[in-house]
Amino acid sequence: MARKETSESSSGRLAQIVQTYKMTRRVDTKVGLVLAAVGIVTFGVFLALGFLIGHPIWAGILGLLLALLATAVVFGRRAERAAFGQLEGQPGAAAAVLQNVGRGWTVTQAVAVNKNQDMVHRAVGRAGVVLIGEGNPNRVKSLLAAEKKKVARVVYDVPVRDYIVGDDEGQLPLKKIRTTLMRLPRALSGPKTTEVNDRLRALGDLLSNMPIPKGPMPRGLRMPRGR
């Protein structure tokens, strides 16, 4: 039974890697050549050093392991870049990224939205409350301001930060959402965070009443973890 479960788990991971590679290759057509070059060069360098020091076998084994590691790291970064490239500019992109922020954050999508699909999403964690707006910057500003006032009335003693997703000056790039949230200083204890979540739930959110998209994630796309 244990062997069967291990085999199924390995098959699942392999299928996921293959799926991620196919997704990445659609956006990054040179990913295969780049990965092959990284692996061959890394292995070749260590093998050459092994001949120089008189231990080609041990150096070759070490080089093979490091080549696999280097290839995995490069693949992960290019896959991440390809995933963000597919999301950028689509309604709900920030929501898709926020859902993969990680443990410690409770995300509520589309707490504010207008007819143009400009949205504000809310994340609550040990750092306080974070409001993320996406869409037209001019329209999103008013949505953020209104939501920030609403939140401040309910959790007046908690830090509330707001960001607009974009690549212009003063905006938060899509690919930096996770790292930005994870680096925010902690201001709340665990019980206080739960209390804030409970108080904000009383506000409700438009998502439960409006048929808006939860994000533009392509079928089969898995968002990689940021670094």
Side-chain angles (χ1 to χ4, degrees), residues 2-142:
R3 288 182 180 178
K4 184 177 180 181
E5 290 179 354
T6 302
S7 178
E8 290 178 351
S9 177
S10 299
S11 298
R13 283 195 294 269
L14 181 59
Q16 182 179 340
I17 292 173
V18 171
Q19 187 178 41
T20 302
Y21 176 79
K22 289 181 179 179
M23 180 277 297
T24 304
R25 195 170 184 276
R26 286 197 297 268
V27 179
D28 184 359
T29 56
K30 296 182 180 179
V31 63
L33 293 175
V34 171
L35 295 179
V38 169
I40 292 172
V41 170
T42 303
F43 176 73
V45 168
F46 276 86
L47 186 61
L49 289 175
F51 278 108
L52 288 176
I53 63 177
H55 296 284
I57 295 178
W58 292 110
I61 294 173
L62 178 60
L64 178 60
L65 294 175
L66 291 177
L68 293 174
L69 177 61
T71 302
V73 171
V74 172
F75 174 58
R77 290 179 178 176
R78 295 184 82 96
E80 181 180 34
R81 190 184 309 163
F84 282 122
Q86 287 192 340
L87 287 173
E88 284 181 349
Q90 299 188 52
V97 175
L98 282 169
Q99 290 297 338
N100 293 272
V101 166
R103 295 179 60 184
W105 288 92
T106 300
V107 176
T108 305
Q109 299 182 22
V111 293
V113 64
N114 60 25
K115 63 182 181 180
N116 298 301
Q117 288 195 334
D118 303 312
M119 307 177 195
V120 174
H121 313 292
R122 184 179 68 227
V124 180
R126 297 288 291 272
V129 180
V130 178
L131 301 175
I132 303 288
E134 62 174 323
N136 182 282
N138 295 325
R139 295 192 299 258
V140 168
K141 284 181 181 179
S142 60

